[in-house]
Amino acid sequence: MGMIDNDWVEPLNVEFRKPYYRDLYNFVREEYSKTVIYPPADDIFNAFHFTPLKDVKVLLLGQDPYHNVNQAHGLSFSVLPGNDTPPSLVNIYQELHDDLGCDIPNNGYLKKWADQGVLLLNTVLTVRAHQANSHQGHGWEQFTDAVIQAVNAQDRPIVYFLWGSPARKKKSMLTNPKHLILEAPHPSPLSAYRGFFGCKHFSKANEFLKANGVDPIDWQIENI
């Protein structure tokens, strides 16, 4: 695992020293040694490498990484260039188009968002190839809860996108009155029509940031 070496170290160092994390580390290391795991080990912590804690403006919470070859690279909902855009991200792009007029790009690579302060966090950071949710319940959830708590403790305006019931269950952790919580059904084709489409979360986030003197996010992903 590529070690975290920016300002995330301070809130997360205490997690690295806990027994659950030692067990998680050993489990993940063994999994990588005996089967195909995504993302590549050096990409597990990319969300933290690309978006330092001091720069977080929006936290977009996913579940676990994509589990097909060459898709996952450590950012929730994002896939590496050269892949088809996954169905949930297709719906995210459609909502962006309807909400802000963004053109729908030919790729699903969301690093541009991460570079602007969108923390693209999954609640579980690794997965076995072709086995969705296969690394749930091994300790990642405790680790990413600590991440969410570190963001909640930031004394500045931050927006949370909680899409789908697993993400919405984290709402009770979000107690900072300076922050904005936006909830909707998951953008999956199974649920997007229940209220994700038309939620206007992207414009609401930018309006909140601008109202609080923070530069908004440029949500347009360019074609590759």
Side-chain angles (χ1 to χ4, degrees), residues 43 50 66 69-73 75 77-86 89 93 106-112 221-224:
D43 290 343
F50 296 159
Y66 296 118
V69 63
N70 202 39
Q71 288 183 312
H73 65 109
L75 304 181
F77 292 99
S78 180
V79 291
L80 288 167
N83 289 276
D84 291 339
T85 303
L89 187 52
Y93 284 161
N106 64 1
N107 66 93
Y109 188 54
L110 304 181
K111 185 174 182 290
K112 177 182 176 180
I221 298 294
E222 283 76 22
N223 284 337
I224 294 177

PDB file of all heavy atoms in Angstrom, residues 43 50 66 69-73 75 77-86 89 93 106-112 221-224:
ATOM      1  N   ASP A  43      -2.379   2.157  -5.550  1.00  0.00           N
ATOM      2  CA  ASP A  43      -3.468   3.111  -5.782  1.00  0.00           C
ATOM      3  C   ASP A  43      -4.506   3.125  -4.660  1.00  0.00           C
ATOM      4  O   ASP A  43      -5.455   3.920  -4.722  1.00  0.00           O
ATOM      5  CB  ASP A  43      -4.185   2.784  -7.099  1.00  0.00           C
ATOM      6  CG  ASP A  43      -3.334   3.071  -8.322  1.00  0.00           C
ATOM      7  OD1 ASP A  43      -2.328   3.801  -8.195  1.00  0.00           O
ATOM      8  OD2 ASP A  43      -3.681   2.569  -9.416  1.00  0.00           O
ATOM      9  N   PHE A  50      -4.459  12.541  -3.755  1.00  0.00           N
ATOM     10  CA  PHE A  50      -4.915  13.570  -4.697  1.00  0.00           C
ATOM     11  C   PHE A  50      -5.649  14.714  -4.008  1.00  0.00           C
ATOM     12  O   PHE A  50      -5.686  15.832  -4.540  1.00  0.00           O
ATOM     13  CB  PHE A  50      -5.838  12.961  -5.757  1.00  0.00           C
ATOM     14  CG  PHE A  50      -5.199  11.937  -6.654  1.00  0.00           C
ATOM     15  CD1 PHE A  50      -5.978  11.021  -7.336  1.00  0.00           C
ATOM     16  CD2 PHE A  50      -3.830  11.882  -6.818  1.00  0.00           C
ATOM     17  CE1 PHE A  50      -5.413  10.066  -8.173  1.00  0.00           C
ATOM     18  CE2 PHE A  50      -3.237  10.933  -7.648  1.00  0.00           C
ATOM     19  CZ  PHE A  50      -4.032  10.024  -8.329  1.00  0.00           C
ATOM     20  N   TYR A  66     -14.612  -0.647  -8.170  1.00  0.00           N
ATOM     21  CA  TYR A  66     -14.987  -1.471  -9.321  1.00  0.00           C
ATOM     22  C   TYR A  66     -14.133  -2.739  -9.315  1.00  0.00           C
ATOM     23  O   TYR A  66     -12.954  -2.704  -8.949  1.00  0.00           O
ATOM     24  CB  TYR A  66     -14.751  -0.707 -10.616  1.00  0.00           C
ATOM     25  CG  TYR A  66     -15.606   0.527 -10.776  1.00  0.00           C
ATOM     26  CD1 TYR A  66     -15.034   1.788 -10.877  1.00  0.00           C
ATOM     27  CD2 TYR A  66     -16.996   0.437 -10.851  1.00  0.00           C
ATOM     28  CE1 TYR A  66     -15.810   2.926 -11.044  1.00  0.00           C
ATOM     29  CE2 TYR A  66     -17.792   1.569 -11.011  1.00  0.00           C
ATOM     30  CZ  TYR A  66     -17.189   2.816 -11.108  1.00  0.00           C
ATOM     31  OH  TYR A  66     -17.959   3.936 -11.268  1.00  0.00           O
ATOM     32  N   VAL A  69     -11.218  -5.648 -14.587  1.00  0.00           N
ATOM     33  CA  VAL A  69      -9.818  -5.344 -14.881  1.00  0.00           C
ATOM     34  C   VAL A  69      -9.627  -3.890 -15.308  1.00  0.00           C
ATOM     35  O   VAL A  69     -10.419  -3.347 -16.086  1.00  0.00           O
ATOM     36  CB  VAL A  69      -9.269  -6.321 -15.957  1.00  0.00           C
ATOM     37  CG1 VAL A  69     -10.008  -6.167 -17.288  1.00  0.00           C
ATOM     38  CG2 VAL A  69      -7.784  -6.138 -16.139  1.00  0.00           C
ATOM     39  N   ASN A  70      -8.604  -3.250 -14.734  1.00  0.00           N
ATOM     40  CA  ASN A  70      -8.132  -1.936 -15.170  1.00  0.00           C
ATOM     41  C   ASN A  70      -9.159  -0.826 -15.010  1.00  0.00           C
ATOM     42  O   ASN A  70      -9.116   0.185 -15.695  1.00  0.00           O
ATOM     43  CB  ASN A  70      -7.670  -1.983 -16.634  1.00  0.00           C
ATOM     44  CG  ASN A  70      -6.705  -0.847 -16.969  1.00  0.00           C
ATOM     45  OD1 ASN A  70      -5.854  -0.491 -16.152  1.00  0.00           O
ATOM     46  ND2 ASN A  70      -6.836  -0.276 -18.154  1.00  0.00           N
ATOM     47  N   GLN A  71     -10.113  -0.990 -14.083  1.00  0.00           N
ATOM     48  CA  GLN A  71     -11.090   0.072 -13.828  1.00  0.00           C
ATOM     49  C   GLN A  71     -10.703   0.897 -12.601  1.00  0.00           C
ATOM     50  O   GLN A  71     -10.499   2.106 -12.693  1.00  0.00           O
ATOM     51  CB  GLN A  71     -12.493  -0.525 -13.607  1.00  0.00           C
ATOM     52  CG  GLN A  71     -13.169  -1.079 -14.822  1.00  0.00           C
ATOM     53  CD  GLN A  71     -14.582  -1.566 -14.488  1.00  0.00           C
ATOM     54  OE1 GLN A  71     -14.805  -2.288 -13.514  1.00  0.00           O
ATOM     55  NE2 GLN A  71     -15.548  -1.171 -15.304  1.00  0.00           N
ATOM     56  N   ALA A  72     -10.632   0.234 -11.445  1.00  0.00           N
ATOM     57  CA  ALA A  72     -10.462   0.951 -10.176  1.00  0.00           C
ATOM     58  C   ALA A  72      -9.059   1.536 -10.059  1.00  0.00           C
ATOM     59  O   ALA A  72      -8.069   0.896 -10.422  1.00  0.00           O
ATOM     60  CB  ALA A  72     -10.726   0.003  -9.006  1.00  0.00           C
ATOM     61  N   HIS A  73      -9.008   2.762  -9.533  1.00  0.00           N
ATOM     62  CA  HIS A  73      -7.705   3.382  -9.282  1.00  0.00           C
ATOM     63  C   HIS A  73      -7.719   4.219  -8.008  1.00  0.00           C
ATOM     64  O   HIS A  73      -6.937   5.148  -7.850  1.00  0.00           O
ATOM     65  CB  HIS A  73      -7.237   4.197 -10.487  1.00  0.00           C
ATOM     66  CG  HIS A  73      -8.099   5.387 -10.812  1.00  0.00           C
ATOM     67  ND1 HIS A  73      -7.673   6.679 -10.596  1.00  0.00           N
ATOM     68  CD2 HIS A  73      -9.349   5.489 -11.312  1.00  0.00           C
ATOM     69  CE1 HIS A  73      -8.625   7.519 -10.963  1.00  0.00           C
ATOM     70  NE2 HIS A  73      -9.650   6.821 -11.396  1.00  0.00           N
ATOM     71  N   LEU A  75     -10.313   6.039  -6.565  1.00  0.00           N
ATOM     72  CA  LEU A  75     -11.266   7.135  -6.452  1.00  0.00           C
ATOM     73  C   LEU A  75     -12.673   6.592  -6.672  1.00  0.00           C
ATOM     74  O   LEU A  75     -12.925   5.920  -7.679  1.00  0.00           O
ATOM     75  CB  LEU A  75     -10.983   8.230  -7.485  1.00  0.00           C
ATOM     76  CG  LEU A  75      -9.591   8.857  -7.495  1.00  0.00           C
ATOM     77  CD1 LEU A  75      -9.514   9.934  -8.582  1.00  0.00           C
ATOM     78  CD2 LEU A  75      -9.242   9.454  -6.142  1.00  0.00           C
ATOM     79  N   PHE A  77     -16.298   6.015  -7.883  1.00  0.00           N
ATOM     80  CA  PHE A  77     -17.033   6.269  -9.126  1.00  0.00           C
ATOM     81  C   PHE A  77     -16.141   6.475 -10.353  1.00  0.00           C
ATOM     82  O   PHE A  77     -16.630   6.479 -11.481  1.00  0.00           O
ATOM     83  CB  PHE A  77     -17.997   7.458  -8.978  1.00  0.00           C
ATOM     84  CG  PHE A  77     -19.144   7.209  -8.048  1.00  0.00           C
ATOM     85  CD1 PHE A  77     -19.116   7.678  -6.739  1.00  0.00           C
ATOM     86  CD2 PHE A  77     -20.248   6.480  -8.459  1.00  0.00           C
ATOM     87  CE1 PHE A  77     -20.173   7.430  -5.871  1.00  0.00           C
ATOM     88  CE2 PHE A  77     -21.309   6.224  -7.589  1.00  0.00           C
ATOM     89  CZ  PHE A  77     -21.271   6.705  -6.300  1.00  0.00           C
ATOM     90  N   SER A  78     -14.842   6.664 -10.179  1.00  0.00           N
ATOM     91  CA  SER A  78     -13.932   6.967 -11.282  1.00  0.00           C
ATOM     92  C   SER A  78     -13.336   5.686 -11.863  1.00  0.00           C
ATOM     93  O   SER A  78     -13.050   4.739 -11.138  1.00  0.00           O
ATOM     94  CB  SER A  78     -12.809   7.877 -10.774  1.00  0.00           C
ATOM     95  OG  SER A  78     -11.890   8.206 -11.806  1.00  0.00           O
ATOM     96  N   VAL A  79     -13.126   5.687 -13.188  1.00  0.00           N
ATOM     97  CA  VAL A  79     -12.402   4.596 -13.840  1.00  0.00           C
ATOM     98  C   VAL A  79     -11.250   5.176 -14.654  1.00  0.00           C
ATOM     99  O   VAL A  79     -11.294   6.325 -15.097  1.00  0.00           O
ATOM    100  CB  VAL A  79     -13.298   3.745 -14.764  1.00  0.00           C
ATOM    101  CG1 VAL A  79     -14.304   2.952 -13.960  1.00  0.00           C
ATOM    102  CG2 VAL A  79     -13.988   4.596 -15.820  1.00  0.00           C
ATOM    103  N   LEU A  80     -10.240   4.350 -14.855  1.00  0.00           N
ATOM    104  CA  LEU A  80      -9.089   4.769 -15.639  1.00  0.00           C
ATOM    105  C   LEU A  80      -9.494   5.009 -17.095  1.00  0.00           C
ATOM    106  O   LEU A  80     -10.424   4.373 -17.609  1.00  0.00           O
ATOM    107  CB  LEU A  80      -7.993   3.704 -15.576  1.00  0.00           C
ATOM    108  CG  LEU A  80      -7.257   3.599 -14.241  1.00  0.00           C
ATOM    109  CD1 LEU A  80      -6.430   2.323 -14.193  1.00  0.00           C
ATOM    110  CD2 LEU A  80      -6.360   4.824 -14.026  1.00  0.00           C
ATOM    111  N   PRO A  81      -8.797   5.924 -17.779  1.00  0.00           N
ATOM    112  CA  PRO A  81      -9.075   6.147 -19.207  1.00  0.00           C
ATOM    113  C   PRO A  81      -8.956   4.846 -19.996  1.00  0.00           C
ATOM    114  O   PRO A  81      -8.159   3.969 -19.675  1.00  0.00           O
ATOM    115  CB  PRO A  81      -7.983   7.142 -19.614  1.00  0.00           C
ATOM    116  CG  PRO A  81      -7.617   7.852 -18.353  1.00  0.00           C
ATOM    117  CD  PRO A  81      -7.731   6.822 -17.265  1.00  0.00           C
ATOM    118  N   GLY A  82      -9.776   4.744 -21.035  1.00  0.00           N
ATOM    119  CA  GLY A  82      -9.786   3.546 -21.860  1.00  0.00           C
ATOM    120  C   GLY A  82     -10.896   2.586 -21.510  1.00  0.00           C
ATOM    121  O   GLY A  82     -11.127   1.607 -22.228  1.00  0.00           O
ATOM    122  N   ASN A  83     -11.604   2.832 -20.405  1.00  0.00           N
ATOM    123  CA  ASN A  83     -12.737   2.009 -19.993  1.00  0.00           C
ATOM    124  C   ASN A  83     -14.046   2.666 -20.392  1.00  0.00           C
ATOM    125  O   ASN A  83     -14.150   3.896 -20.461  1.00  0.00           O
ATOM    126  CB  ASN A  83     -12.739   1.834 -18.472  1.00  0.00           C
ATOM    127  CG  ASN A  83     -11.628   0.938 -17.983  1.00  0.00           C
ATOM    128  OD1 ASN A  83     -11.754  -0.269 -17.983  1.00  0.00           O
ATOM    129  ND2 ASN A  83     -10.519   1.544 -17.573  1.00  0.00           N
ATOM    130  N   ASP A  84     -15.057   1.832 -20.610  1.00  0.00           N
ATOM    131  CA  ASP A  84     -16.403   2.370 -20.765  1.00  0.00           C
ATOM    132  C   ASP A  84     -16.819   3.055 -19.464  1.00  0.00           C
ATOM    133  O   ASP A  84     -16.439   2.620 -18.367  1.00  0.00           O
ATOM    134  CB  ASP A  84     -17.398   1.257 -21.078  1.00  0.00           C
ATOM    135  CG  ASP A  84     -17.186   0.657 -22.464  1.00  0.00           C
ATOM    136  OD1 ASP A  84     -16.573   1.336 -23.310  1.00  0.00           O
ATOM    137  OD2 ASP A  84     -17.619  -0.491 -22.676  1.00  0.00           O
ATOM    138  N   THR A  85     -17.603   4.105 -19.571  1.00  0.00           N
ATOM    139  CA  THR A  85     -18.123   4.780 -18.384  1.00  0.00           C
ATOM    140  C   THR A  85     -19.150   3.873 -17.699  1.00  0.00           C
ATOM    141  O   THR A  85     -20.115   3.449 -18.334  1.00  0.00           O
ATOM    142  CB  THR A  85     -18.777   6.112 -18.770  1.00  0.00           C
ATOM    143  OG1 THR A  85     -17.813   6.918 -19.467  1.00  0.00           O
ATOM    144  CG2 THR A  85     -19.263   6.865 -17.544  1.00  0.00           C
ATOM    145  N   PRO A  86     -18.949   3.541 -16.422  1.00  0.00           N
ATOM    146  CA  PRO A  86     -19.882   2.638 -15.734  1.00  0.00           C
ATOM    147  C   PRO A  86     -21.290   3.237 -15.641  1.00  0.00           C
ATOM    148  O   PRO A  86     -21.460   4.468 -15.676  1.00  0.00           O
ATOM    149  CB  PRO A  86     -19.256   2.480 -14.342  1.00  0.00           C
ATOM    150  CG  PRO A  86     -17.807   2.813 -14.537  1.00  0.00           C
ATOM    151  CD  PRO A  86     -17.797   3.888 -15.582  1.00  0.00           C
ATOM    152  N   LEU A  89     -22.019   6.142 -13.232  1.00  0.00           N
ATOM    153  CA  LEU A  89     -21.376   7.387 -13.646  1.00  0.00           C
ATOM    154  C   LEU A  89     -22.056   7.982 -14.880  1.00  0.00           C
ATOM    155  O   LEU A  89     -22.125   9.205 -15.025  1.00  0.00           O
ATOM    156  CB  LEU A  89     -19.885   7.148 -13.887  1.00  0.00           C
ATOM    157  CG  LEU A  89     -19.026   8.386 -14.169  1.00  0.00           C
ATOM    158  CD1 LEU A  89     -19.211   9.463 -13.108  1.00  0.00           C
ATOM    159  CD2 LEU A  89     -17.553   7.987 -14.266  1.00  0.00           C
ATOM    160  N   TYR A  93     -23.308  11.794 -14.895  1.00  0.00           N
ATOM    161  CA  TYR A  93     -23.067  12.743 -15.993  1.00  0.00           C
ATOM    162  C   TYR A  93     -24.381  13.301 -16.541  1.00  0.00           C
ATOM    163  O   TYR A  93     -24.460  14.471 -16.908  1.00  0.00           O
ATOM    164  CB  TYR A  93     -22.302  12.052 -17.116  1.00  0.00           C
ATOM    165  CG  TYR A  93     -20.820  11.839 -16.870  1.00  0.00           C
ATOM    166  CD1 TYR A  93     -20.106  10.898 -17.610  1.00  0.00           C
ATOM    167  CD2 TYR A  93     -20.118  12.571 -15.908  1.00  0.00           C
ATOM    168  CE1 TYR A  93     -18.758  10.690 -17.420  1.00  0.00           C
ATOM    169  CE2 TYR A  93     -18.763  12.364 -15.705  1.00  0.00           C
ATOM    170  CZ  TYR A  93     -18.085  11.427 -16.467  1.00  0.00           C
ATOM    171  OH  TYR A  93     -16.738  11.229 -16.272  1.00  0.00           O
ATOM    172  N   ASN A 106     -16.347  11.547 -22.865  1.00  0.00           N
ATOM    173  CA  ASN A 106     -16.152  10.205 -23.437  1.00  0.00           C
ATOM    174  C   ASN A 106     -15.352   9.298 -22.519  1.00  0.00           C
ATOM    175  O   ASN A 106     -14.835   8.270 -22.951  1.00  0.00           O
ATOM    176  CB  ASN A 106     -15.454  10.315 -24.798  1.00  0.00           C
ATOM    177  CG  ASN A 106     -14.038  10.896 -24.689  1.00  0.00           C
ATOM    178  OD1 ASN A 106     -13.559  11.212 -23.589  1.00  0.00           O
ATOM    179  ND2 ASN A 106     -13.382  11.064 -25.832  1.00  0.00           N
ATOM    180  N   ASN A 107     -15.245   9.662 -21.226  1.00  0.00           N
ATOM    181  CA  ASN A 107     -14.453   8.865 -20.295  1.00  0.00           C
ATOM    182  C   ASN A 107     -14.998   9.036 -18.888  1.00  0.00           C
ATOM    183  O   ASN A 107     -15.800   9.942 -18.623  1.00  0.00           O
ATOM    184  CB  ASN A 107     -12.977   9.290 -20.336  1.00  0.00           C
ATOM    185  CG  ASN A 107     -12.776  10.701 -19.812  1.00  0.00           C
ATOM    186  OD1 ASN A 107     -12.501  10.899 -18.622  1.00  0.00           O
ATOM    187  ND2 ASN A 107     -12.936  11.708 -20.673  1.00  0.00           N
ATOM    188  N   GLY A 108     -14.533   8.162 -17.973  1.00  0.00           N
ATOM    189  CA  GLY A 108     -14.986   8.210 -16.582  1.00  0.00           C
ATOM    190  C   GLY A 108     -13.879   8.527 -15.603  1.00  0.00           C
ATOM    191  O   GLY A 108     -13.944   8.119 -14.440  1.00  0.00           O
ATOM    192  N   TYR A 109     -12.884   9.285 -16.058  1.00  0.00           N
ATOM    193  CA  TYR A 109     -11.701   9.576 -15.229  1.00  0.00           C
ATOM    194  C   TYR A 109     -11.937  10.877 -14.466  1.00  0.00           C
ATOM    195  O   TYR A 109     -11.957  11.955 -15.054  1.00  0.00           O
ATOM    196  CB  TYR A 109     -10.475   9.683 -16.136  1.00  0.00           C
ATOM    197  CG  TYR A 109      -9.150   9.797 -15.423  1.00  0.00           C
ATOM    198  CD1 TYR A 109      -8.757   8.868 -14.464  1.00  0.00           C
ATOM    199  CD2 TYR A 109      -8.261  10.831 -15.732  1.00  0.00           C
ATOM    200  CE1 TYR A 109      -7.527   8.955 -13.836  1.00  0.00           C
ATOM    201  CE2 TYR A 109      -7.029  10.931 -15.113  1.00  0.00           C
ATOM    202  CZ  TYR A 109      -6.668   9.997 -14.163  1.00  0.00           C
ATOM    203  OH  TYR A 109      -5.446  10.085 -13.546  1.00  0.00           O
ATOM    204  N   LEU A 110     -12.106  10.780 -13.149  1.00  0.00           N
ATOM    205  CA  LEU A 110     -12.573  11.896 -12.333  1.00  0.00           C
ATOM    206  C   LEU A 110     -11.461  12.585 -11.544  1.00  0.00           C
ATOM    207  O   LEU A 110     -11.747  13.344 -10.618  1.00  0.00           O
ATOM    208  CB  LEU A 110     -13.657  11.414 -11.359  1.00  0.00           C
ATOM    209  CG  LEU A 110     -14.873  10.725 -11.980  1.00  0.00           C
ATOM    210  CD1 LEU A 110     -15.874  10.334 -10.893  1.00  0.00           C
ATOM    211  CD2 LEU A 110     -15.544  11.605 -13.032  1.00  0.00           C
ATOM    212  N   LYS A 111     -10.194  12.375 -11.921  1.00  0.00           N
ATOM    213  CA  LYS A 111      -9.114  12.991 -11.149  1.00  0.00           C
ATOM    214  C   LYS A 111      -9.244  14.517 -11.116  1.00  0.00           C
ATOM    215  O   LYS A 111      -8.850  15.146 -10.134  1.00  0.00           O
ATOM    216  CB  LYS A 111      -7.750  12.589 -11.711  1.00  0.00           C
ATOM    217  CG  LYS A 111      -6.581  13.101 -10.858  1.00  0.00           C
ATOM    218  CD  LYS A 111      -5.249  12.562 -11.343  1.00  0.00           C
ATOM    219  CE  LYS A 111      -4.106  13.059 -10.449  1.00  0.00           C
ATOM    220  NZ  LYS A 111      -3.856  14.510 -10.602  1.00  0.00           N
ATOM    221  N   LYS A 112      -9.815  15.106 -12.153  1.00  0.00           N
ATOM    222  CA  LYS A 112     -10.007  16.565 -12.149  1.00  0.00           C
ATOM    223  C   LYS A 112     -10.822  17.001 -10.930  1.00  0.00           C
ATOM    224  O   LYS A 112     -10.550  18.047 -10.341  1.00  0.00           O
ATOM    225  CB  LYS A 112     -10.691  17.023 -13.435  1.00  0.00           C
ATOM    226  CG  LYS A 112     -10.985  18.520 -13.469  1.00  0.00           C
ATOM    227  CD  LYS A 112     -11.710  18.939 -14.731  1.00  0.00           C
ATOM    228  CE  LYS A 112     -12.072  20.418 -14.686  1.00  0.00           C
ATOM    229  NZ  LYS A 112     -12.787  20.859 -15.914  1.00  0.00           N
ATOM    230  N   ILE A 221     -15.915  17.327 -16.875  1.00  0.00           N
ATOM    231  CA  ILE A 221     -14.830  16.416 -17.227  1.00  0.00           C
ATOM    232  C   ILE A 221     -14.619  16.521 -18.737  1.00  0.00           C
ATOM    233  O   ILE A 221     -15.570  16.392 -19.515  1.00  0.00           O
ATOM    234  CB  ILE A 221     -15.161  14.962 -16.820  1.00  0.00           C
ATOM    235  CG1 ILE A 221     -15.338  14.856 -15.303  1.00  0.00           C
ATOM    236  CG2 ILE A 221     -14.081  14.002 -17.314  1.00  0.00           C
ATOM    237  CD1 ILE A 221     -14.091  15.123 -14.487  1.00  0.00           C
ATOM    238  N   GLU A 222     -13.358  16.765 -19.131  1.00  0.00           N
ATOM    239  CA  GLU A 222     -13.085  16.946 -20.552  1.00  0.00           C
ATOM    240  C   GLU A 222     -12.942  15.599 -21.253  1.00  0.00           C
ATOM    241  O   GLU A 222     -12.602  14.583 -20.653  1.00  0.00           O
ATOM    242  CB  GLU A 222     -11.782  17.760 -20.743  1.00  0.00           C
ATOM    243  CG  GLU A 222     -11.957  19.252 -20.504  1.00  0.00           C
ATOM    244  CD  GLU A 222     -12.042  19.617 -19.015  1.00  0.00           C
ATOM    245  OE1 GLU A 222     -11.562  18.826 -18.187  1.00  0.00           O
ATOM    246  OE2 GLU A 222     -12.593  20.684 -18.713  1.00  0.00           O
ATOM    247  N   ASN A 223     -13.180  15.621 -22.550  1.00  0.00           N
ATOM    248  CA  ASN A 223     -12.946  14.438 -23.377  1.00  0.00           C
ATOM    249  C   ASN A 223     -11.443  14.116 -23.412  1.00  0.00           C
ATOM    250  O   ASN A 223     -10.604  15.003 -23.302  1.00  0.00           O
ATOM    251  CB  ASN A 223     -13.427  14.665 -24.806  1.00  0.00           C
ATOM    252  CG  ASN A 223     -14.945  14.595 -24.921  1.00  0.00           C
ATOM    253  OD1 ASN A 223     -15.617  13.999 -24.092  1.00  0.00           O
ATOM    254  ND2 ASN A 223     -15.484  15.221 -25.954  1.00  0.00           N
ATOM    255  N   ILE A 224     -11.143  12.850 -23.569  1.00  0.00           N
ATOM    256  CA  ILE A 224      -9.767  12.402 -23.744  1.00  0.00           C
ATOM    257  C   ILE A 224      -9.587  11.973 -25.189  1.00  0.00           C
ATOM    258  O   ILE A 224     -10.406  11.217 -25.711  1.00  0.00           O
ATOM    259  CB  ILE A 224      -9.440  11.236 -22.790  1.00  0.00           C
ATOM    260  CG1 ILE A 224      -9.475  11.720 -21.347  1.00  0.00           C
ATOM    261  CG2 ILE A 224      -8.082  10.631 -23.133  1.00  0.00           C
ATOM    262  CD1 ILE A 224      -9.244  10.621 -20.310  1.00  0.00           C
TER     263      ILE A 224
END
